[in-house]
């Protein structure tokens, strides 16, 4: 499985962005997750979605503002980010796991991330 994140950019606080994670290979039965890493900080969980989209989980810091979804027909996962804050700044990466977990080490097939910068 190979994953590639895209859609990042420089926005102002309060703006929206939609990230995409394009997958190649078998991801149909896996959980897909978004993580982010700010400079000088550890990678942190943002959200994950189950293979059929029925199970979703969000970090407390983004719940109510971010929405994760996936389109298996297009082999793509999305992260709609609304009401962005400067604290959302970081490199956003997507990865796959076989269990529903927020732990980065349980994920594999990390793709190259996309930079999101939110100015105040």
């Amino acid at each position: 499985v190979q994953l590639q994140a895209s859609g990042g950019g420089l926005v102002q606080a309060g703006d929206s962005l939609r990230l995409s994670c394009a997958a190649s290979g078998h991801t149909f039965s896996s959980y897909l997750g978004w993580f982010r890493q700010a400079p000088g900080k550890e990678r942190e969980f943002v959200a994950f979605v189950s293979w059929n989209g029925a199970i979703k989980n969000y970090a407390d810091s983004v719940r109510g503002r971010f929405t994760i979804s996936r389109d298996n027909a297009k082999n793509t996962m999305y992260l709609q980010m609304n009401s962005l804050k400067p604290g959302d700044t970081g490199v956003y990466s997507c990865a796959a796991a076989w269990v529903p977990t927020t732990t980065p080490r349980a994920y594999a097939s990390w793709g190259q991330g996309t930079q999101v910068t939110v100015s105040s």
Side-chain angles (χ1 to χ4, degrees):
V1 174
Q2 291 184 325
L3 302 172
Q4 178 67 52
S6 63
L10 172 62
V11 297
Q12 294 185 334
D15 286 350
S16 298
L17 274 177
R18 189 176 80 155
L19 305 183
S20 298
C21 174
S24 60
H26 177 67
T27 63
F28 183 74
S29 58
S30 67
Y31 291 82
L32 294 179
W34 284 102
F35 292 80
R36 66 188 182 190
Q37 187 167 21
K41 295 187 177 181
E42 294 187 352
R43 178 178 285 164
E44 66 171 346
F45 166 76
V46 175
F48 72 66
V49 60
S50 62
W51 68 274
N52 61 357
I55 300 173
K56 300 177 182 179
N57 192 18
Y58 298 92
D60 289 342
S61 59
V62 307
R63 186 174 289 113
R65 299 187 297 121
F66 291 11
T67 302
I68 191 170
S69 61
R70 65 190 288 176
D71 184 339
N72 289 332
K74 296 182 178 180
N75 284 337
T76 302
M77 175 179 65
Y78 304 98
L79 185 69
Q80 177 66 42
M81 305 187 296
N82 298 330
S83 302
L84 283 162
K85 304 176 181 179
D88 295 319
T89 294
V91 175
Y92 284 68
S93 302
C94 51
W98 293 109
V99 296
T101 177
T102 63
T103 304
R105 66 176 180 269
Y107 285 77
S109 304
W110 291 90
Q112 186 173 355
T114 185
Q115 177 71 45
V116 173
T117 303
V118 184
S119 63
S120 58

